[in-house]
Amino acid sequence: MLFAIDMLGTLAFAITGAYKGIRYNLDWLGILIMSIATGVGGGIVRDVLLGETPPVALRSPTYIVVCAVACAAMIGAKKALTASWAFVLVADALGLGFFTAVGASKAAALDAGPVAVIFMAAITAAGGGLIRDVLVREIPQILKSDFYATAAILGGILFVVLPYVGVPHMEARIVVTTAFTFLLRLIAMRKKMHLPHTRK
């Protein structure tokens, strides 16, 4: 189940990376690089921090293949897909939910403490998007969208708390964490929720 969730997260984020490459009028190689960097970037950072090397995305060709498929699909249907910003936002929210659960569960499987589990959830979920935005010289979404990293952090906290409220099984924790983070991100976008800003 974890592998399937990881693949879905990779696909969702790879779509957003390809979209950003198309938006910036990159060539096909540039779009592919954006897709791969976004799809596997957060997971690679997570694995390096957890000491799981080489990172799983570099050991299994499936991750790169999924990114390439997302890239090809976006290039082939760019008129239909890139015209819909809502589609990209939903894909991004899905990726955030999937990768929050994957990061938390992988850290928990290595007996990481609660703080590390939450941190790995946030890194896995937000890392790929951060790399994507830096590559095209944008302020990363994690810094300007308050309920992006916040949603991942809250999802990680929920993952840690679930065993104490009667949800001990890993698969159930993954599903609940994914759904919670995804829905929280969608609600935050719809309601334009944000954290307080400092005044200039």
Side-chain angles (χ1 to χ4, degrees):
M1 178 182 181
L2 182 61
F3 180 74
I5 294 289
D6 205 8
M7 288 296 100
L8 289 171
T10 300
L11 177 65
F13 269 3
I15 287 171
T16 71
Y19 170 86
K20 191 64 69 79
I22 293 170
R23 181 180 170 190
Y24 276 87
N25 199 31
L26 303 183
D27 63 20
W28 286 13
L29 178 59
I31 297 170
L32 177 61
I33 290 171
M34 290 290 293
S35 184
I36 293 172
T38 311
V40 302
I44 288 175
V45 173
R46 176 203 63 225
D47 289 348
V48 169
L49 290 175
L50 290 174
E52 189 179 351
T53 55
V56 65
L58 301 182
R59 296 198 308 266
S60 171
T62 308
Y63 289 84
I64 306 302
V65 170
V66 168
C67 292
V69 169
C71 175
M74 288 297 287
I75 291 173
K78 65 179 181 180
K79 289 184 179 180
L81 297 179
T82 59
S84 176
W85 178 236
F87 167 81
V88 177
L89 288 177
V90 171
D92 197 47
L94 275 172
L96 193 76
F98 288 137
F99 275 172
T100 297
V102 168
S105 60
K106 286 200 171 185
L110 294 174
D111 295 323
V115 173
V117 169
I118 296 166
F119 183 63
M120 288 302 111
I123 285 291
T124 309
L130 188 151
I131 294 169
R132 173 196 66 209
D133 294 343
V134 168
L135 285 175
V136 293
R137 296 189 295 179
E138 286 186 0
I139 297 174
Q141 194 170 16
I142 187 176
L143 300 180
K144 64 182 180 180
S145 180
D146 295 313
F147 263 83
Y148 195 79
T150 303
I153 291 169
L154 292 175
I157 292 172
L158 176 64
F159 182 91
V160 170
V161 170
L162 282 174
Y164 300 99
V165 294
V167 188
H169 299 295
M170 184 63 74
E171 289 189 355
R173 291 165 73 189
I174 290 171
V175 171
V176 172
T177 299
T178 298
F180 171 82
T181 308
F182 170 61
L183 291 174
L184 180 59
R185 177 61 180 151
L186 286 184
I187 292 169
M189 288 189 296
R190 184 175 181 83
K191 301 292 186 181
K192 301 187 184 302
M193 296 165 58
H194 62 81
L195 300 177
H197 290 269
T198 57
R199 295 182 181 274
K200 293 182 179 179

